């Protein structure tokens, strides 16, 4: 994972990072309008860039697929990479069928989709064959789940991997991120983008990115 490239190129996606209402590339607007989601174009542009910075042989993992919007965003233009989505599909009306239809509507190949509880699947070895270059966690955001949602990734992370977390404006998510960085010397925070609670609604509820020091 080329984390330096990620940090260098992120501001270039916008006229005025992080203030811009949307990225220069408007491909993600159609995802926002056509697929039920919990994000903004800006979040999608960040994820897409992260996927484009994967090294050969690395995998992008998304925990919390819902209707597939953020997975579609990450995959656009990066179809040659390996993507894995994990979801228990117990939230609102999300189903595997809906995700597959949305991927098809955007002309994307089917990624690997693991259906079940990430806290059972991953410790049981569901990703043991993967060198994970991006771990995007957008599932349950309680304090305990957020911490555990980072810890369970550790065994499969590639050197330099990005751990990306959504909804970091939330008090318990921010606290979990702080505590994780404090307990894990191999994780270094490289980016914090405020969201709507802190005056930046164009970034949904905020995002943080950690780099896994290999
Ligand atoms: C906020 S939604 C994801 C939104 C999506 N990333 C997007 O941008 O459109 C959270 C998803 O996490 C899933 N989820 C929550 N806890 C989970 C768990 N323990 N294992 C797997 N999936 C989980 C829910 O089923 C839900 O679809």
């Amino acid at each position: 994972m080329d984390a330096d490239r990620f940090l260098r190129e992120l501001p270039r996606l916008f006229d005025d990072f992080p203030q811009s209402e949307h990225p220069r590339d408007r491909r993600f607007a159609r995802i926002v309008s056509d697929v039920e989601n919990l994000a903004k174009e800006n979040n999608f542009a960040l994820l897409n860039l992260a996927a484009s910075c994967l090294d050969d042989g690395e995998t992008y993992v998304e925990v919390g697929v819902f209707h597939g919007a953020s997975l579609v965003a990450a995959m656009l233009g990066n179809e040659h990479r390996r993507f894995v989505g994990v979801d228990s599909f117990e939230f609102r009306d999300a189903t595997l069928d809906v995700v597959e239809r949305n991927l098809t509507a955007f002309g994307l190949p089917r990624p690997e989709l693991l259906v079940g509880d990430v806290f059972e699947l991953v410790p049981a070895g569901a990703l043991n064959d993967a060198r994970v270059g991006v771990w995007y966690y957008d599932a349950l955001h309680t304090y305990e789940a957020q911490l555990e949602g980072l810890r369970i990734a550790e065994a499969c992370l590639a050197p330099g991997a990005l751990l990306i977390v959504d909804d970091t404006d939330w008090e318990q998510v921010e606290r979990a991120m702080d505590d994780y960085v404090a307990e894990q010397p191999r994780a270094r925070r490289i980016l914090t983008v405020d969201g709507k609670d802190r005056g930046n609604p164009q970034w949904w509820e905020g995002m943080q990115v950690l780099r896994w020091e290999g």
Side-chain angles (χ1 to χ4, degrees), residues 36-39 44 47 62-71 86-91 94 116-119 136-141 166-167:
E36 192 177 332
N37 69 87
L38 295 135
F44 289 159
L47 297 173
E62 173 174 279
V63 185
V65 176
F66 191 42
H67 284 223
S70 46
L71 195 52
V86 187
D87 204 298
S88 51
F89 295 115
E90 289 172 346
F91 179 60
D117 185 340
V118 73
F119 299 111
Y136 175 45
Y137 184 91
D138 189 18
L140 186 63
H141 286 303
D166 197 22
D167 300 323

PDB file of all heavy atoms in Angstrom, residues 36-39 44 47 62-71 86-91 94 116-119 136-141 166-167, ligand 1:
ATOM      1  N   GLU A  36     -29.016   3.642  -2.010  1.00  0.00           N
ATOM      2  CA  GLU A  36     -29.217   4.069  -0.625  1.00  0.00           C
ATOM      3  C   GLU A  36     -27.892   3.954   0.124  1.00  0.00           C
ATOM      4  O   GLU A  36     -27.189   2.942   0.004  1.00  0.00           O
ATOM      5  CB  GLU A  36     -30.276   3.198   0.046  1.00  0.00           C
ATOM      6  CG  GLU A  36     -30.736   3.762   1.368  1.00  0.00           C
ATOM      7  CD  GLU A  36     -31.849   2.920   1.992  1.00  0.00           C
ATOM      8  OE1 GLU A  36     -32.610   2.266   1.255  1.00  0.00           O
ATOM      9  OE2 GLU A  36     -31.926   2.929   3.228  1.00  0.00           O
ATOM     10  N   ASN A  37     -27.536   4.994   0.855  1.00  0.00           N
ATOM     11  CA  ASN A  37     -26.194   5.007   1.440  1.00  0.00           C
ATOM     12  C   ASN A  37     -26.125   5.895   2.666  1.00  0.00           C
ATOM     13  O   ASN A  37     -27.071   6.632   2.963  1.00  0.00           O
ATOM     14  CB  ASN A  37     -25.186   5.503   0.398  1.00  0.00           C
ATOM     15  CG  ASN A  37     -25.383   6.978   0.094  1.00  0.00           C
ATOM     16  OD1 ASN A  37     -24.844   7.843   0.765  1.00  0.00           O
ATOM     17  ND2 ASN A  37     -26.211   7.267  -0.910  1.00  0.00           N
ATOM     18  N   LEU A  38     -24.989   5.842   3.324  1.00  0.00           N
ATOM     19  CA  LEU A  38     -24.734   6.685   4.496  1.00  0.00           C
ATOM     20  C   LEU A  38     -23.363   7.326   4.304  1.00  0.00           C
ATOM     21  O   LEU A  38     -22.402   7.030   5.037  1.00  0.00           O
ATOM     22  CB  LEU A  38     -24.780   5.836   5.764  1.00  0.00           C
ATOM     23  CG  LEU A  38     -26.174   5.244   6.048  1.00  0.00           C
ATOM     24  CD1 LEU A  38     -26.104   3.789   6.446  1.00  0.00           C
ATOM     25  CD2 LEU A  38     -26.886   6.047   7.116  1.00  0.00           C
ATOM     26  N   ALA A  39     -23.255   8.175   3.306  1.00  0.00           N
ATOM     27  CA  ALA A  39     -21.977   8.814   3.007  1.00  0.00           C
ATOM     28  C   ALA A  39     -22.211   9.983   2.059  1.00  0.00           C
ATOM     29  O   ALA A  39     -23.345  10.286   1.694  1.00  0.00           O
ATOM     30  CB  ALA A  39     -21.020   7.803   2.381  1.00  0.00           C
ATOM     31  N   PHE A  44     -16.634   8.927  -0.669  1.00  0.00           N
ATOM     32  CA  PHE A  44     -16.458   7.936  -1.735  1.00  0.00           C
ATOM     33  C   PHE A  44     -15.153   8.185  -2.510  1.00  0.00           C
ATOM     34  O   PHE A  44     -14.454   7.243  -2.885  1.00  0.00           O
ATOM     35  CB  PHE A  44     -17.658   7.964  -2.686  1.00  0.00           C
ATOM     36  CG  PHE A  44     -18.923   7.410  -2.087  1.00  0.00           C
ATOM     37  CD1 PHE A  44     -20.163   7.739  -2.622  1.00  0.00           C
ATOM     38  CD2 PHE A  44     -18.895   6.547  -1.000  1.00  0.00           C
ATOM     39  CE1 PHE A  44     -21.346   7.220  -2.091  1.00  0.00           C
ATOM     40  CE2 PHE A  44     -20.069   6.022  -0.453  1.00  0.00           C
ATOM     41  CZ  PHE A  44     -21.294   6.360  -1.000  1.00  0.00           C
ATOM     42  N   LEU A  47     -12.241   6.819  -0.510  1.00  0.00           N
ATOM     43  CA  LEU A  47     -12.162   5.355  -0.562  1.00  0.00           C
ATOM     44  C   LEU A  47     -11.645   4.890  -1.919  1.00  0.00           C
ATOM     45  O   LEU A  47     -10.838   3.958  -2.005  1.00  0.00           O
ATOM     46  CB  LEU A  47     -13.536   4.746  -0.282  1.00  0.00           C
ATOM     47  CG  LEU A  47     -14.112   5.032   1.107  1.00  0.00           C
ATOM     48  CD1 LEU A  47     -15.556   4.527   1.197  1.00  0.00           C
ATOM     49  CD2 LEU A  47     -13.259   4.381   2.201  1.00  0.00           C
ATOM     50  N   GLU A  62     -14.004  -4.254   2.942  1.00  0.00           N
ATOM     51  CA  GLU A  62     -14.994  -3.327   3.497  1.00  0.00           C
ATOM     52  C   GLU A  62     -15.871  -4.090   4.492  1.00  0.00           C
ATOM     53  O   GLU A  62     -16.506  -5.086   4.135  1.00  0.00           O
ATOM     54  CB  GLU A  62     -15.874  -2.739   2.407  1.00  0.00           C
ATOM     55  CG  GLU A  62     -17.012  -1.905   3.006  1.00  0.00           C
ATOM     56  CD  GLU A  62     -17.833  -1.186   1.969  1.00  0.00           C
ATOM     57  OE1 GLU A  62     -17.396  -0.121   1.512  1.00  0.00           O
ATOM     58  OE2 GLU A  62     -18.906  -1.691   1.603  1.00  0.00           O
ATOM     59  N   VAL A  63     -15.925  -3.605   5.708  1.00  0.00           N
ATOM     60  CA  VAL A  63     -16.800  -4.189   6.721  1.00  0.00           C
ATOM     61  C   VAL A  63     -17.988  -3.250   6.888  1.00  0.00           C
ATOM     62  O   VAL A  63     -17.829  -2.128   7.372  1.00  0.00           O
ATOM     63  CB  VAL A  63     -16.060  -4.359   8.070  1.00  0.00           C
ATOM     64  CG1 VAL A  63     -16.962  -5.089   9.065  1.00  0.00           C
ATOM     65  CG2 VAL A  63     -14.748  -5.102   7.884  1.00  0.00           C
ATOM     66  N   GLY A  64     -19.174  -3.709   6.453  1.00  0.00           N
ATOM     67  CA  GLY A  64     -20.356  -2.847   6.469  1.00  0.00           C
ATOM     68  C   GLY A  64     -20.699  -2.404   5.059  1.00  0.00           C
ATOM     69  O   GLY A  64     -20.412  -1.287   4.649  1.00  0.00           O
ATOM     70  N   VAL A  65     -21.309  -3.308   4.298  1.00  0.00           N
ATOM     71  CA  VAL A  65     -21.563  -3.062   2.871  1.00  0.00           C
ATOM     72  C   VAL A  65     -22.908  -2.350   2.665  1.00  0.00           C
ATOM     73  O   VAL A  65     -23.053  -1.527   1.766  1.00  0.00           O
ATOM     74  CB  VAL A  65     -21.544  -4.405   2.099  1.00  0.00           C
ATOM     75  CG1 VAL A  65     -21.893  -4.211   0.630  1.00  0.00           C
ATOM     76  CG2 VAL A  65     -20.175  -5.073   2.239  1.00  0.00           C
ATOM     77  N   PHE A  66     -23.906  -2.703   3.471  1.00  0.00           N
ATOM     78  CA  PHE A  66     -25.270  -2.149   3.368  1.00  0.00           C
ATOM     79  C   PHE A  66     -25.784  -2.370   1.942  1.00  0.00           C
ATOM     80  O   PHE A  66     -25.884  -3.506   1.516  1.00  0.00           O
ATOM     81  CB  PHE A  66     -25.257  -0.689   3.809  1.00  0.00           C
ATOM     82  CG  PHE A  66     -26.600  -0.073   4.006  1.00  0.00           C
ATOM     83  CD1 PHE A  66     -27.626  -0.764   4.640  1.00  0.00           C
ATOM     84  CD2 PHE A  66     -26.859   1.222   3.569  1.00  0.00           C
ATOM     85  CE1 PHE A  66     -28.877  -0.190   4.822  1.00  0.00           C
ATOM     86  CE2 PHE A  66     -28.104   1.815   3.753  1.00  0.00           C
ATOM     87  CZ  PHE A  66     -29.116   1.099   4.370  1.00  0.00           C
ATOM     88  N   HIS A  67     -26.068  -1.339   1.163  1.00  0.00           N
ATOM     89  CA  HIS A  67     -26.570  -1.549  -0.193  1.00  0.00           C
ATOM     90  C   HIS A  67     -25.444  -1.578  -1.233  1.00  0.00           C
ATOM     91  O   HIS A  67     -25.710  -1.681  -2.420  1.00  0.00           O
ATOM     92  CB  HIS A  67     -27.565  -0.463  -0.562  1.00  0.00           C
ATOM     93  CG  HIS A  67     -28.918  -0.643   0.075  1.00  0.00           C
ATOM     94  ND1 HIS A  67     -30.102  -0.458  -0.593  1.00  0.00           N
ATOM     95  CD2 HIS A  67     -29.277  -1.013   1.322  1.00  0.00           C
ATOM     96  CE1 HIS A  67     -31.127  -0.691   0.212  1.00  0.00           C
ATOM     97  NE2 HIS A  67     -30.648  -1.020   1.392  1.00  0.00           N
ATOM     98  N   GLY A  68     -24.214  -1.395  -0.769  1.00  0.00           N
ATOM     99  CA  GLY A  68     -23.078  -1.513  -1.701  1.00  0.00           C
ATOM    100  C   GLY A  68     -22.529  -0.195  -2.203  1.00  0.00           C
ATOM    101  O   GLY A  68     -21.587  -0.187  -3.009  1.00  0.00           O
ATOM    102  N   ALA A  69     -23.061   0.927  -1.740  1.00  0.00           N
ATOM    103  CA  ALA A  69     -22.646   2.217  -2.299  1.00  0.00           C
ATOM    104  C   ALA A  69     -21.138   2.460  -2.142  1.00  0.00           C
ATOM    105  O   ALA A  69     -20.452   2.808  -3.116  1.00  0.00           O
ATOM    106  CB  ALA A  69     -23.435   3.345  -1.631  1.00  0.00           C
ATOM    107  N   SER A  70     -20.625   2.291  -0.942  1.00  0.00           N
ATOM    108  CA  SER A  70     -19.206   2.594  -0.736  1.00  0.00           C
ATOM    109  C   SER A  70     -18.298   1.563  -1.405  1.00  0.00           C
ATOM    110  O   SER A  70     -17.175   1.886  -1.803  1.00  0.00           O
ATOM    111  CB  SER A  70     -18.886   2.723   0.759  1.00  0.00           C
ATOM    112  OG  SER A  70     -19.459   1.668   1.494  1.00  0.00           O
ATOM    113  N   LEU A  71     -18.794   0.342  -1.556  1.00  0.00           N
ATOM    114  CA  LEU A  71     -18.008  -0.680  -2.255  1.00  0.00           C
ATOM    115  C   LEU A  71     -17.957  -0.363  -3.753  1.00  0.00           C
ATOM    116  O   LEU A  71     -16.902  -0.451  -4.390  1.00  0.00           O
ATOM    117  CB  LEU A  71     -18.610  -2.065  -1.995  1.00  0.00           C
ATOM    118  CG  LEU A  71     -17.766  -3.285  -2.325  1.00  0.00           C
ATOM    119  CD1 LEU A  71     -16.375  -3.218  -1.691  1.00  0.00           C
ATOM    120  CD2 LEU A  71     -18.477  -4.555  -1.878  1.00  0.00           C
ATOM    121  N   VAL A  86     -17.912  -7.481   3.653  1.00  0.00           N
ATOM    122  CA  VAL A  86     -18.440  -8.306   4.754  1.00  0.00           C
ATOM    123  C   VAL A  86     -19.667  -7.612   5.326  1.00  0.00           C
ATOM    124  O   VAL A  86     -19.607  -6.425   5.659  1.00  0.00           O
ATOM    125  CB  VAL A  86     -17.400  -8.475   5.886  1.00  0.00           C
ATOM    126  CG1 VAL A  86     -17.905  -9.479   6.922  1.00  0.00           C
ATOM    127  CG2 VAL A  86     -16.033  -8.890   5.343  1.00  0.00           C
ATOM    128  N   ASP A  87     -20.757  -8.342   5.421  1.00  0.00           N
ATOM    129  CA  ASP A  87     -21.961  -7.773   6.052  1.00  0.00           C
ATOM    130  C   ASP A  87     -22.857  -8.896   6.553  1.00  0.00           C
ATOM    131  O   ASP A  87     -22.972  -9.940   5.914  1.00  0.00           O
ATOM    132  CB  ASP A  87     -22.745  -6.887   5.059  1.00  0.00           C
ATOM    133  CG  ASP A  87     -23.595  -5.858   5.788  1.00  0.00           C
ATOM    134  OD1 ASP A  87     -24.504  -6.268   6.556  1.00  0.00           O
ATOM    135  OD2 ASP A  87     -23.378  -4.652   5.606  1.00  0.00           O
ATOM    136  N   SER A  88     -23.485  -8.654   7.688  1.00  0.00           N
ATOM    137  CA  SER A  88     -24.422  -9.645   8.230  1.00  0.00           C
ATOM    138  C   SER A  88     -25.825  -9.439   7.659  1.00  0.00           C
ATOM    139  O   SER A  88     -26.705 -10.283   7.857  1.00  0.00           O
ATOM    140  CB  SER A  88     -24.458  -9.534   9.758  1.00  0.00           C
ATOM    141  OG  SER A  88     -24.677  -8.189  10.129  1.00  0.00           O
ATOM    142  N   PHE A  89     -26.040  -8.332   6.975  1.00  0.00           N
ATOM    143  CA  PHE A  89     -27.334  -7.993   6.367  1.00  0.00           C
ATOM    144  C   PHE A  89     -28.490  -8.122   7.361  1.00  0.00           C
ATOM    145  O   PHE A  89     -29.487  -8.786   7.097  1.00  0.00           O
ATOM    146  CB  PHE A  89     -27.572  -8.819   5.098  1.00  0.00           C
ATOM    147  CG  PHE A  89     -26.587  -8.492   4.004  1.00  0.00           C
ATOM    148  CD1 PHE A  89     -25.677  -9.431   3.549  1.00  0.00           C
ATOM    149  CD2 PHE A  89     -26.554  -7.230   3.432  1.00  0.00           C
ATOM    150  CE1 PHE A  89     -24.755  -9.124   2.556  1.00  0.00           C
ATOM    151  CE2 PHE A  89     -25.629  -6.905   2.436  1.00  0.00           C
ATOM    152  CZ  PHE A  89     -24.740  -7.857   1.999  1.00  0.00           C
ATOM    153  N   GLU A  90     -28.307  -7.476   8.481  1.00  0.00           N
ATOM    154  CA  GLU A  90     -29.382  -7.446   9.478  1.00  0.00           C
ATOM    155  C   GLU A  90     -29.827  -6.021   9.746  1.00  0.00           C
ATOM    156  O   GLU A  90     -30.528  -5.743  10.711  1.00  0.00           O
ATOM    157  CB  GLU A  90     -28.901  -8.108  10.788  1.00  0.00           C
ATOM    158  CG  GLU A  90     -28.759  -9.611  10.644  1.00  0.00           C
ATOM    159  CD  GLU A  90     -28.108 -10.260  11.847  1.00  0.00           C
ATOM    160  OE1 GLU A  90     -27.535  -9.542  12.681  1.00  0.00           O
ATOM    161  OE2 GLU A  90     -28.181 -11.498  11.933  1.00  0.00           O
ATOM    162  N   PHE A  91     -29.412  -5.085   8.898  1.00  0.00           N
ATOM    163  CA  PHE A  91     -29.685  -3.663   9.113  1.00  0.00           C
ATOM    164  C   PHE A  91     -30.649  -3.182   8.022  1.00  0.00           C
ATOM    165  O   PHE A  91     -30.377  -3.357   6.835  1.00  0.00           O
ATOM    166  CB  PHE A  91     -28.359  -2.899   9.052  1.00  0.00           C
ATOM    167  CG  PHE A  91     -28.451  -1.415   9.240  1.00  0.00           C
ATOM    168  CD1 PHE A  91     -28.972  -0.867  10.412  1.00  0.00           C
ATOM    169  CD2 PHE A  91     -27.995  -0.555   8.248  1.00  0.00           C
ATOM    170  CE1 PHE A  91     -29.031   0.515  10.589  1.00  0.00           C
ATOM    171  CE2 PHE A  91     -28.050   0.821   8.413  1.00  0.00           C
ATOM    172  CZ  PHE A  91     -28.573   1.354   9.583  1.00  0.00           C
ATOM    173  N   ALA A  94     -31.234  -4.073   3.738  1.00  0.00           N
ATOM    174  CA  ALA A  94     -30.098  -4.493   2.908  1.00  0.00           C
ATOM    175  C   ALA A  94     -30.076  -6.015   2.750  1.00  0.00           C
ATOM    176  O   ALA A  94     -30.321  -6.752   3.709  1.00  0.00           O
ATOM    177  CB  ALA A  94     -28.787  -4.026   3.544  1.00  0.00           C
ATOM    178  N   GLY A 116     -22.230 -12.569   7.126  1.00  0.00           N
ATOM    179  CA  GLY A 116     -22.158 -13.033   8.511  1.00  0.00           C
ATOM    180  C   GLY A 116     -21.560 -11.974   9.405  1.00  0.00           C
ATOM    181  O   GLY A 116     -21.320 -10.836   8.974  1.00  0.00           O
ATOM    182  N   ASP A 117     -21.330 -12.347  10.640  1.00  0.00           N
ATOM    183  CA  ASP A 117     -20.804 -11.431  11.645  1.00  0.00           C
ATOM    184  C   ASP A 117     -19.280 -11.350  11.509  1.00  0.00           C
ATOM    185  O   ASP A 117     -18.589 -12.357  11.663  1.00  0.00           O
ATOM    186  CB  ASP A 117     -21.191 -11.967  13.034  1.00  0.00           C
ATOM    187  CG  ASP A 117     -20.795 -11.018  14.149  1.00  0.00           C
ATOM    188  OD1 ASP A 117     -19.911 -10.163  13.935  1.00  0.00           O
ATOM    189  OD2 ASP A 117     -21.370 -11.154  15.247  1.00  0.00           O
ATOM    190  N   VAL A 118     -18.795 -10.162  11.233  1.00  0.00           N
ATOM    191  CA  VAL A 118     -17.351  -9.994  11.024  1.00  0.00           C
ATOM    192  C   VAL A 118     -16.547 -10.441  12.244  1.00  0.00           C
ATOM    193  O   VAL A 118     -15.415 -10.921  12.107  1.00  0.00           O
ATOM    194  CB  VAL A 118     -17.028  -8.525  10.649  1.00  0.00           C
ATOM    195  CG1 VAL A 118     -17.164  -7.595  11.866  1.00  0.00           C
ATOM    196  CG2 VAL A 118     -15.658  -8.409  10.033  1.00  0.00           C
ATOM    197  N   PHE A 119     -17.141 -10.332  13.436  1.00  0.00           N
ATOM    198  CA  PHE A 119     -16.414 -10.688  14.656  1.00  0.00           C
ATOM    199  C   PHE A 119     -16.325 -12.208  14.849  1.00  0.00           C
ATOM    200  O   PHE A 119     -15.607 -12.686  15.716  1.00  0.00           O
ATOM    201  CB  PHE A 119     -17.049 -10.010  15.866  1.00  0.00           C
ATOM    202  CG  PHE A 119     -17.015  -8.506  15.745  1.00  0.00           C
ATOM    203  CD1 PHE A 119     -18.180  -7.784  15.560  1.00  0.00           C
ATOM    204  CD2 PHE A 119     -15.807  -7.830  15.759  1.00  0.00           C
ATOM    205  CE1 PHE A 119     -18.141  -6.401  15.405  1.00  0.00           C
ATOM    206  CE2 PHE A 119     -15.753  -6.450  15.610  1.00  0.00           C
ATOM    207  CZ  PHE A 119     -16.928  -5.734  15.433  1.00  0.00           C
ATOM    208  N   TYR A 136     -11.563  -1.044   5.487  1.00  0.00           N
ATOM    209  CA  TYR A 136     -12.523   0.043   5.693  1.00  0.00           C
ATOM    210  C   TYR A 136     -13.609  -0.462   6.631  1.00  0.00           C
ATOM    211  O   TYR A 136     -14.382  -1.354   6.279  1.00  0.00           O
ATOM    212  CB  TYR A 136     -13.121   0.493   4.355  1.00  0.00           C
ATOM    213  CG  TYR A 136     -14.205   1.533   4.521  1.00  0.00           C
ATOM    214  CD1 TYR A 136     -14.046   2.611   5.390  1.00  0.00           C
ATOM    215  CD2 TYR A 136     -15.397   1.456   3.802  1.00  0.00           C
ATOM    216  CE1 TYR A 136     -15.040   3.557   5.558  1.00  0.00           C
ATOM    217  CE2 TYR A 136     -16.395   2.403   3.962  1.00  0.00           C
ATOM    218  CZ  TYR A 136     -16.206   3.447   4.844  1.00  0.00           C
ATOM    219  OH  TYR A 136     -17.195   4.380   5.027  1.00  0.00           O
ATOM    220  N   TYR A 137     -13.657   0.096   7.830  1.00  0.00           N
ATOM    221  CA  TYR A 137     -14.632  -0.340   8.829  1.00  0.00           C
ATOM    222  C   TYR A 137     -15.773   0.664   8.899  1.00  0.00           C
ATOM    223  O   TYR A 137     -15.584   1.821   9.315  1.00  0.00           O
ATOM    224  CB  TYR A 137     -13.969  -0.494  10.210  1.00  0.00           C
ATOM    225  CG  TYR A 137     -14.947  -1.050  11.232  1.00  0.00           C
ATOM    226  CD1 TYR A 137     -15.063  -2.427  11.436  1.00  0.00           C
ATOM    227  CD2 TYR A 137     -15.795  -0.210  11.953  1.00  0.00           C
ATOM    228  CE1 TYR A 137     -15.995  -2.944  12.325  1.00  0.00           C
ATOM    229  CE2 TYR A 137     -16.724  -0.722  12.851  1.00  0.00           C
ATOM    230  CZ  TYR A 137     -16.815  -2.084  13.028  1.00  0.00           C
ATOM    231  OH  TYR A 137     -17.742  -2.603  13.908  1.00  0.00           O
ATOM    232  N   ASP A 138     -16.968   0.210   8.487  1.00  0.00           N
ATOM    233  CA  ASP A 138     -18.162   1.066   8.547  1.00  0.00           C
ATOM    234  C   ASP A 138     -19.342   0.207   9.025  1.00  0.00           C
ATOM    235  O   ASP A 138     -20.416   0.235   8.447  1.00  0.00           O
ATOM    236  CB  ASP A 138     -18.447   1.683   7.173  1.00  0.00           C
ATOM    237  CG  ASP A 138     -19.536   2.744   7.235  1.00  0.00           C
ATOM    238  OD1 ASP A 138     -19.827   3.254   8.341  1.00  0.00           O
ATOM    239  OD2 ASP A 138     -20.114   3.066   6.172  1.00  0.00           O
ATOM    240  N   ALA A 139     -19.092  -0.580  10.086  1.00  0.00           N
ATOM    241  CA  ALA A 139     -20.159  -1.420  10.644  1.00  0.00           C
ATOM    242  C   ALA A 139     -20.553  -0.842  12.006  1.00  0.00           C
ATOM    243  O   ALA A 139     -20.576   0.370  12.180  1.00  0.00           O
ATOM    244  CB  ALA A 139     -19.692  -2.867  10.726  1.00  0.00           C
ATOM    245  N   LEU A 140     -20.859  -1.717  12.951  1.00  0.00           N
ATOM    246  CA  LEU A 140     -21.337  -1.259  14.256  1.00  0.00           C
ATOM    247  C   LEU A 140     -20.309  -0.317  14.904  1.00  0.00           C
ATOM    248  O   LEU A 140     -19.131  -0.644  15.001  1.00  0.00           O
ATOM    249  CB  LEU A 140     -21.566  -2.488  15.149  1.00  0.00           C
ATOM    250  CG  LEU A 140     -22.206  -2.243  16.510  1.00  0.00           C
ATOM    251  CD1 LEU A 140     -23.616  -1.669  16.356  1.00  0.00           C
ATOM    252  CD2 LEU A 140     -22.246  -3.555  17.302  1.00  0.00           C
ATOM    253  N   HIS A 141     -20.811   0.849  15.346  1.00  0.00           N
ATOM    254  CA  HIS A 141     -19.905   1.873  15.872  1.00  0.00           C
ATOM    255  C   HIS A 141     -20.061   2.094  17.371  1.00  0.00           C
ATOM    256  O   HIS A 141     -19.942   3.228  17.834  1.00  0.00           O
ATOM    257  CB  HIS A 141     -20.124   3.198  15.139  1.00  0.00           C
ATOM    258  CG  HIS A 141     -19.587   3.233  13.747  1.00  0.00           C
ATOM    259  ND1 HIS A 141     -18.265   2.990  13.430  1.00  0.00           N
ATOM    260  CD2 HIS A 141     -20.188   3.508  12.572  1.00  0.00           C
ATOM    261  CE1 HIS A 141     -18.086   3.120  12.142  1.00  0.00           C
ATOM    262  NE2 HIS A 141     -19.240   3.426  11.579  1.00  0.00           N
ATOM    263  N   ASP A 166     -15.226   5.325   9.361  1.00  0.00           N
ATOM    264  CA  ASP A 166     -16.249   6.342   9.094  1.00  0.00           C
ATOM    265  C   ASP A 166     -16.915   6.730  10.422  1.00  0.00           C
ATOM    266  O   ASP A 166     -16.812   6.010  11.417  1.00  0.00           O
ATOM    267  CB  ASP A 166     -17.285   5.695   8.159  1.00  0.00           C
ATOM    268  CG  ASP A 166     -18.158   6.736   7.489  1.00  0.00           C
ATOM    269  OD1 ASP A 166     -17.755   7.892   7.396  1.00  0.00           O
ATOM    270  OD2 ASP A 166     -19.260   6.355   7.054  1.00  0.00           O
ATOM    271  N   ASP A 167     -17.615   7.853  10.417  1.00  0.00           N
ATOM    272  CA  ASP A 167     -18.395   8.294  11.589  1.00  0.00           C
ATOM    273  C   ASP A 167     -17.530   8.616  12.798  1.00  0.00           C
ATOM    274  O   ASP A 167     -17.935   8.408  13.951  1.00  0.00           O
ATOM    275  CB  ASP A 167     -19.459   7.237  11.973  1.00  0.00           C
ATOM    276  CG  ASP A 167     -20.438   6.976  10.839  1.00  0.00           C
ATOM    277  OD1 ASP A 167     -20.790   7.940  10.131  1.00  0.00           O
ATOM    278  OD2 ASP A 167     -20.826   5.804  10.652  1.00  0.00           O
TER     279      ASP A 167
HETATM  280  C1  LIG B   1     -23.615   2.111   8.075  1.00  0.00           C
HETATM  281  S1  LIG B   1     -23.993   0.650   7.224  1.00  0.00           S
HETATM  282  C2  LIG B   1     -22.743   0.641   5.987  1.00  0.00           C
HETATM  283  C3  LIG B   1     -22.901   1.731   4.980  1.00  0.00           C
HETATM  284  C4  LIG B   1     -22.095   1.554   3.711  1.00  0.00           C
HETATM  285  N1  LIG B   1     -20.681   1.403   3.980  1.00  0.00           N
HETATM  286  C5  LIG B   1     -22.328   2.756   2.815  1.00  0.00           C
HETATM  287  O1  LIG B   1     -21.502   3.688   2.800  1.00  0.00           O
HETATM  288  O2  LIG B   1     -23.353   2.789   2.148  1.00  0.00           O
HETATM  289  C6  LIG B   1     -23.442  -0.538   8.376  1.00  0.00           C
HETATM  290  C7  LIG B   1     -23.539  -1.981   7.899  1.00  0.00           C
HETATM  291  O3  LIG B   1     -22.762  -2.776   8.787  1.00  0.00           O
HETATM  292  C8  LIG B   1     -23.376  -4.034   8.922  1.00  0.00           C
HETATM  293  N2  LIG B   1     -22.911  -4.644  10.180  1.00  0.00           N
HETATM  294  C9  LIG B   1     -23.104  -4.182  11.441  1.00  0.00           C
HETATM  295  N3  LIG B   1     -22.526  -4.992  12.347  1.00  0.00           N
HETATM  296  C10 LIG B   1     -21.939  -6.003  11.638  1.00  0.00           C
HETATM  297  C11 LIG B   1     -21.200  -7.159  12.003  1.00  0.00           C
HETATM  298  N4  LIG B   1     -20.923  -7.426  13.285  1.00  0.00           N
HETATM  299  N5  LIG B   1     -20.739  -7.959  11.029  1.00  0.00           N
HETATM  300  C12 LIG B   1     -21.008  -7.695   9.727  1.00  0.00           C
HETATM  301  N6  LIG B   1     -21.714  -6.610   9.322  1.00  0.00           N
HETATM  302  C13 LIG B   1     -22.177  -5.779  10.252  1.00  0.00           C
HETATM  303  C14 LIG B   1     -24.864  -3.728   8.897  1.00  0.00           C
HETATM  304  O4  LIG B   1     -25.606  -4.879   8.490  1.00  0.00           O
HETATM  305  C15 LIG B   1     -24.944  -2.566   7.902  1.00  0.00           C
HETATM  306  O5  LIG B   1     -25.296  -3.003   6.608  1.00  0.00           O
END
